[in-house]
Amino acid sequence: MSDQPTDLREAVRLRYAAAAVKVAEGGSSCCGPEPVEADEHFGSALYAADERDALPAEAVAASLGCGNPTAVAELREGERVLDLGSGGGIDVLLSARRVGPTGKAYGLDMTEEMLALALASAAEAGATNVEFLKGTIEAVPLPAGTIDVVISNCVINLSTDKPAVFAETFRVLRPGGRMGVSDVVADDALSAEQRAERGDHVGCIAGALSFAEYRAHLEAAGFTDVAITPTHVVADGMHSAVVRARKPMAQAKAAGAVGPAAGARAEDSCCGVTACCTPAEEAADPSLTADEAKSASGCACRS
């Protein structure tokens, strides 16, 4: 009997491996109902011309997404950003420029051909504050509490285990960290069968969550301030949408802190520890001490 999740993941991997090879050979590719042809709903046309012009042609040609998450994630100097399903690297390179030399942009992808394309583009762009990781978005190979912002561009809909994706996103974010992703979202009235009628899984359609399902999954993972804003229609009843959510700040009072330290921590003062600057603080990575974790993350709180 066929293992459908495994089969779907392999179909996704093969489809994007082929897209990367096509780009490397001088072609272009895009997500969407048509396997390789870009249109106004998907691909590099969704980026501003000055953004496209500043990047290697291969990174632009390999753009597979349904939006521009770097334009809505409100990235700041010095932040650490993770792009889930980074593909040819366009959003990683744009993020690296926004966070500057004191920040860092990670790209995570399961497809070797895409990773090779992204690494080549990063080298061509001279980007030194980027790192590409091989792995799946359901099992992120980064320590807990080490990322300020998670972005993604039309990839979460491709996962066959979305609760795992949201749980991993929540885990790697520091308290107060945020996610800002572009994804395909379905009208609540559409059944799974109706979504599949509008496009296949590897085309970013059949696997899309509805608005209500997306919100419920994010809240179940622990996120707050969830906002899902449609931007343009990609099929009948299917939308590209900007999804924003936040990991709550650690509740210092619950950790036993008293006095000024309980509320004095600024949003971006610590990474890599829980219960920051309280007697209960400890490193998210058990191999490190709390001081080592804070030092490695550039934390401003040392006491």
Side-chain angles (χ1 to χ4, degrees), residues 63 109 251:
S63 174
D109 206 278
Q251 296 298 311

Side-chain angles (χ1 to χ4, degrees), residues 4 29 63 75 179 204 213 215 232 234 283:
Q4 186 183 32
S29 183
S63 174
L75 302 180
M179 65 177 289
C204 306
E213 290 167 343
R215 178 179 293 276
H232 58 274
V234 298

Side-chain angles (χ1 to χ4, degrees), residues 194-285:
Q194 290 172 320
R195 296 170 215 176
E197 291 171 359
R198 286 153 171 77
D200 62 11
H201 189 92
V202 299
C204 306
I205 301 296
L209 296 171
S210 71
F211 285 90
E213 290 167 343
Y214 221 117
R215 178 179 293 276
H217 279 307
L218 286 170
E219 291 177 346
F223 284 100
T224 60
D225 302 328
V226 177
I228 306 173
T229 306
T231 58
H232 58 274
V233 174
V234 298
D236 183 23
M238 311 287 294
H239 311 266
S240 173
V242 173
V243 182
R244 295 183 177 93
R246 185 174 295 274
K247 181 174 181 176
M249 296 292 292
Q251 296 298 311
K253 184 176 180 180
V258 295
R265 186 188 163 224
E267 181 179 311
D268 60 349
S269 62
C270 274
C271 300
V273 298
T274 58
C276 180
C277 302
T278 75
E281 73 174 7
E282 60 181 24
D285 184 345

Side-chain angles (χ1 to χ4, degrees), residues 15-16 19 22 28-38 64 200 202-203:
R15 183 258 184 274
Y16 290 98
K22 181 172 183 177
S28 63
S29 183
C30 181
C31 199
E34 295 298 323
V36 294
E37 297 302 325
L64 312 175
D200 62 11
V202 299

Side-chain angles (χ1 to χ4, degrees), residues 28-32 36-48 52 59-69 90-91 153-154 232 234 240:
S28 63
S29 183
C30 181
C31 199
V36 294
E37 297 302 325
D39 61 25
E40 70 273 19
H41 304 311
F42 297 89
S44 61
L46 299 173
Y47 294 83
R52 299 194 304 266
V60 175
S63 174
L64 312 175
C66 56
N68 180 356
I90 185 171
D91 293 314
N153 197 348
C154 205
H232 58 274
V234 298
S240 173

Side-chain angles (χ1 to χ4, degrees), residues 9-275:
R9 175 178 286 181
E10 179 62 9
V12 169
R13 189 194 68 77
L14 290 172
R15 183 258 184 274
Y16 290 98
V21 170
K22 181 172 183 177
V23 170
E25 292 175 347
S28 63
S29 183
C30 181
C31 199
E34 295 298 323
V36 294
E37 297 302 325
D39 61 25
E40 70 273 19
H41 304 311
F42 297 89
S44 61
L46 299 173
Y47 294 83
D50 61 337
E51 291 180 315
R52 299 194 304 266
D53 293 345
L55 296 176
E58 290 78 11
V60 175
S63 174
L64 312 175
C66 56
N68 180 356
T70 60
V72 300
E74 300 176 356
L75 302 180
R76 298 188 286 266
E77 188 85 15
E79 288 189 315
R80 294 187 172 199
V81 184
L82 169 63
D83 181 15
L84 299 177
S86 51
I90 185 171
D91 293 314
V92 175
L93 295 178
L94 289 173
S95 296
R97 294 174 62 194
R98 290 175 183 258
V99 301
T102 60
K104 187 164 185 178
Y106 294 92
L108 174 65
D109 206 278
M110 69 175 181
T111 307
E112 290 184 2
E113 292 85 351
M114 278 294 184
L115 288 169
L117 194 67
L119 285 168
S121 292
E124 182 179 342
T128 58
N129 60 337
V130 304
E131 183 176 346
F132 289 98
L133 308 168
K134 184 179 181 182
T136 68
I137 62 176
E138 298 85 2
V140 179
L142 286 172
T146 55
I147 297 298
D148 296 295
V149 189
V150 171
I151 65 172
S152 185
N153 197 348
C154 205
V155 172
I156 294 174
N157 69 82
L158 295 170
S159 173
T160 58
D161 189 354
K162 294 174 181 66
V165 176
F166 297 132
E168 280 292 271
T169 300
F170 191 88
R171 180 186 68 82
V172 300
L173 282 170
R174 63 168 178 80
R178 62 198 187 277
M179 65 177 289
V181 309
S182 295
D183 208 6
V184 173
V185 185
D187 284 343
D188 292 333
L190 292 183
S191 67
E193 292 75 19
Q194 290 172 320
R195 296 170 215 176
E197 291 171 359
R198 286 153 171 77
D200 62 11
H201 189 92
V202 299
C204 306
I205 301 296
L209 296 171
S210 71
F211 285 90
E213 290 167 343
Y214 221 117
R215 178 179 293 276
H217 279 307
L218 286 170
E219 291 177 346
F223 284 100
T224 60
D225 302 328
V226 177
I228 306 173
T229 306
T231 58
H232 58 274
V233 174
V234 298
D236 183 23
M238 311 287 294
H239 311 266
S240 173
V242 173
V243 182
R244 295 183 177 93
R246 185 174 295 274
K247 181 174 181 176
M249 296 292 292
Q251 296 298 311
K253 184 176 180 180
V258 295
R265 186 188 163 224
E267 181 179 311
D268 60 349
S269 62
C270 274
C271 300
V273 298
T274 58

